[in-house]
Amino acid sequence: MSHAVPLESDSAAATGGPGGRGLEWFGVAAILMLVGAQALGLLTSPADRDMGHLQKIMYVHVPAAWNAFIAFFVVAVSSLLYLWKGQERHDLLAASAAEVGTVFTALTLALGSIWGRPTWGVWWTWDPRLTSTAVLLLIFVGYLSLRAFIEDADRRAQWSAAVGLLGALNVPIVYMSVRWWRTLHQIQSTPSTVDPEYVVGLRANAIAVLLVLVYFTMKRYRAARAERLAEQLEEQAALEGRGA
Amino acid sequence: MAFAGDLRRVRAIVWKDLTTERRSKAGFNAVAFLGILILLLFGFALGPDAEALRNAAAGALWLAILFAGVLAFNRSYQLELDGGALEPLLLYPAPRWTIFAGKFVANLLFVLMVEAIVVPVAIVLFQVKAGTGWLPALGVMLLGSVGFVALGTFYASMASRSRAREVLLPLLLFPMLIPVLLASSEASASLLAGNPMRDAGAWVRLLVAFDVIFVVASFLAFDHVIEV
Amino acid sequence: MEEQYGFVVAAYVVMWVGVIGYLVRLRRVSRAARRRLDEASRGAGRKA
């Protein structure tokens, strides 16, 4: 065969060789860890003096938010790497992280809303972090629809890298502008502003969600890689068909 | 020396785009009319209370500019794509940024001309009392337009060459423009309300930062985007 | 107090619906990708 298939060495991993099995076990471990961390958080935390049992929502809301930001940080860095080096794996990683990040951002907003209703009395408030998280979601929904609308792989990679990078660049500006526009939120929840008795639970949950994020992204990356490989094979088959 | 040549190329593209626009006319008239129409619709939605209208004026004006202006950006590439003229343009032995600069300036002039029609209409319809702050308010309009047009021209270079370009451009562009919308409407509202520079200063700085960051970023990224 | 528990339960349910929902989607996407790759490589093999 005159046309060597690029990426051939990865096809075993893409189709689920021994490497694929390892990732599945990692996924099972991540999910079990999430169950364990949530159980730990729920069982060990006493009712908060201001928020009562609502404090328990923190264990899902705050880790989801942190990890959504980690995902978009990955998108920004891989987009930059793609524009710089032009390697396909950075594009596929950016796309995978963007999809997973969008899921976590949507979860963050839904959970924040559920927390906000009993605490602030409203489902939605035009608070800086809530609003800029929503804008972040919109920016990355735009990113994903751009990818969905373009067939040519080079174009898709090049364009979405630019869009992802500009989107990430805008996040701090959006945050600043909304903060000046209106502010009404408690201080950011980091372990330093949270009562020590909640810290362990929060950290454990953050790590568990991070593992789930890594699993989701790797799994999505692997599927994206297989899709890309199939695309290349189909293209090749079409070219050979025309040549014959 | 080379730079003077680049500037000449930019000027040539600006002139070409504006000439095609001037000869067709239909595009500009339709966009300006759409802007007025949106203002009128806002009036019906918010009015007829004069006070409510006056408070909403800056925001409504900016939304009218965004929704009308977004139509201009795809057009600026569409004429070339239809005529198959974009590829020859890319073949010219000149830096790519000159193409973006030309399109950017042409689109900026287009949007400023639309604003020249829409702003007076907004002042009349929303019964804005233009106080002492009208000159800085025009400066804010210019700053906001620069950011709007830079990103619009950049995203249109992709959206116009994809499927579903009509929906893709606003989907990509509008979330990015939220700082511009907030800063411009807040700054012009506080300037027109007559407490000059009370909080307008911070908004103006934000607009300047936004403009600098995204003009530079879109100039740099355009090289990568137009290549494929 | 009972009302508060409702919100806590709702939050955890939403979290798990999200996680499991995305897991299901991942599974579907992976399977579709694998099938497409198998078909494409079978096609390429036939040609060779």
Side-chain angles (χ1 to χ4, degrees):
Chain A
M1 200 167 102
S2 57
H3 303 273
V5 180
L7 302 173
E8 179 108 70
S9 54
D10 296 312
S11 66
T15 47
R21 196 69 45 76
L23 182 63
E24 292 311 313
W25 283 116
F26 177 73
V28 171
I31 298 286
L32 286 180
M33 174 110 183
L34 184 62
V35 174
Q38 288 189 353
L40 176 80
L42 288 176
L43 294 178
T44 61
S45 63
D48 188 78
R49 56 182 179 279
D50 300 324
M51 287 190 287
H53 291 291
L54 290 174
Q55 175 275 331
K56 292 178 171 50
I57 299 179
M58 180 179 76
Y59 295 132
V60 280
H61 172 64
V62 175
W66 285 346
N67 282 290
F69 276 94
I70 291 175
F72 289 131
F73 187 70
V74 173
V75 176
V77 172
S78 356
S79 297
L80 189 62
L81 280 174
Y82 182 80
L83 287 181
W84 184 24
K85 298 218 167 123
Q87 287 173 357
E88 191 166 68
R89 61 199 171 100
H90 294 136
D91 169 57
L92 297 179
L93 181 60
S96 313
E99 195 180 290
V100 179
T102 306
V103 171
F104 277 95
T105 311
L107 269 181
T108 305
L109 285 176
L111 295 171
S113 203
I114 293 173
W115 196 357
R117 182 66 185 78
T119 341
W120 299 326
V122 283
W123 291 104
W124 179 264
T125 137
W126 293 89
D127 138 275
R129 272 187 296 145
L130 205 54
T131 312
S132 38
T133 308
V135 176
L136 183 68
L137 181 69
L138 292 176
I139 289 176
F140 282 94
V141 167
Y143 173 94
L144 292 175
S145 11
L146 176 76
R147 290 191 73 92
F149 280 132
I150 304 169
E151 269 108 44
D152 183 79
D154 279 342
R155 226 176 223 200
R156 186 171 55 214
Q158 202 74 263
W159 291 4
S160 59
V163 169
L165 199 56
L166 258 68
L169 212 56
N170 206 8
V171 170
I173 305 178
V174 169
Y175 176 69
M176 290 258 287
S177 61
V178 185
R179 200 176 70 171
W180 284 344
W181 183 55
R182 169 164 297 178
T183 186
L184 181 171
H185 204 292
Q186 63 186 131
I187 316 160
Q188 203 148 328
S189 302
T190 60
S192 57
T193 60
V194 174
D195 279 341
E197 52 208 340
Y198 303 131
V199 170
V200 177
L202 187 56
R203 286 227 170 101
N205 273 285
I207 291 167
V209 174
L210 178 64
L211 292 179
V212 172
L213 174 85
V214 171
Y215 168 65
F216 279 178
T217 311
M218 296 279 293
K219 178 98 177 151
R220 187 68 188 84
Y221 174 79
R222 203 159 282 189
R225 184 132 222 188
E227 266 164 29
R228 190 66 200 102
L229 204 57
E231 247 172 43
Q232 282 170 343
L233 284 170
E234 281 161 11
E235 229 165 74
Q236 219 170 72
L239 281 176
E240 279 165 8
R242 206 188 306 159
Chain B
M1 213 47 195
F3 189 66
D6 288 344
L7 280 187
R8 215 171 52 238
R9 287 185 195 100
V10 172
R11 212 163 51 220
I13 292 174
V14 173
W15 183 81
K16 170 191 74 66
D17 276 15
L18 288 180
T19 307
T20 38
E21 205 56 65
R22 188 167 52 84
R23 292 208 176 129
S24 75
K25 274 203 194 81
F28 178 78
N29 293 348
V31 168
F33 183 71
L34 181 67
I36 294 172
L37 183 62
I38 293 172
L39 285 178
L40 210 60
L41 291 181
F42 267 112
F44 285 125
L46 301 169
D49 175 34
E51 197 55 41
L53 282 179
R54 211 168 290 142
N55 290 335
L61 172 63
W62 264 99
L63 281 181
I65 292 170
L66 292 191
F67 279 101
V70 77
L71 296 177
F73 302 133
N74 268 337
R75 275 180 59 80
S76 92
Y77 293 94
Q78 200 51 48
L79 290 173
E80 261 150 14
L81 288 170
D82 289 347
L86 192 64
E87 320 241 296
L89 194 62
L90 289 173
L91 286 177
Y92 274 99
R96 300 274 195 258
W97 68 261
T98 53
I99 299 174
F100 185 73
K103 295 252 168 234
F104 168 67
V105 174
N107 281 337
L108 183 62
L109 290 174
F110 185 92
V111 166
L112 288 179
M113 283 189 287
V114 172
E115 283 170 6
I117 292 176
V118 171
V119 170
V121 174
I123 290 175
V124 173
L125 283 183
F126 291 79
Q127 302 170 20
V128 178
K129 294 194 195 88
T132 48
W134 67 273
L135 196 61
L138 283 185
V140 166
M141 296 259 355
L142 181 65
L143 283 177
S145 308
V146 168
F148 171 47
V149 173
L151 282 179
T153 309
F154 176 65
Y155 282 119
S157 73
M158 295 179 269
S160 63
R161 288 187 287 156
S162 74
R163 295 186 282 133
R165 65 181 102 82
E166 291 82 6
V167 58
L168 193 56
L169 182 61
L171 201 62
L172 289 173
L173 185 58
F174 286 160
M176 294 291 286
L177 289 176
I178 284 167
V180 173
L181 176 65
L182 275 181
S184 323
S185 45
E186 288 291 308
S188 34
S190 74
L191 283 169
L192 290 176
N195 35 6
M197 292 332 221
R198 190 175 57 82
D199 28 31
W203 290 118
V204 170
R205 279 197 295 280
L206 185 94
L207 269 181
V208 171
F210 186 95
D211 286 358
V212 170
I213 290 171
F214 284 108
V215 167
V216 171
S218 48
F219 262 85
L220 290 178
F222 184 76
D223 267 16
H224 292 277
V225 160
I226 204 70
E227 208 64 55
V228 283
Chain C
M1 264 306 157
E2 283 76 46
E3 204 192 338
Q4 283 196 352
Y5 273 120
F7 284 107
V8 175
V9 170
Y12 280 80
V13 166
V14 166
M15 176 80 181
W16 279 101
V17 166
V19 169
I20 293 171
Y22 191 66
L23 262 177
V24 170
R25 184 189 135 80
L26 265 181
R27 204 146 281 273
R28 215 176 42 224
V29 169
S30 304
R31 197 162 305 156
R34 202 174 310 149
R35 194 172 314 129
R36 194 172 155 195
L37 181 58
D38 283 348
E39 248 154 54
S41 41
R42 233 194 331 274
R46 217 177 20 245
K47 283 266 157 49

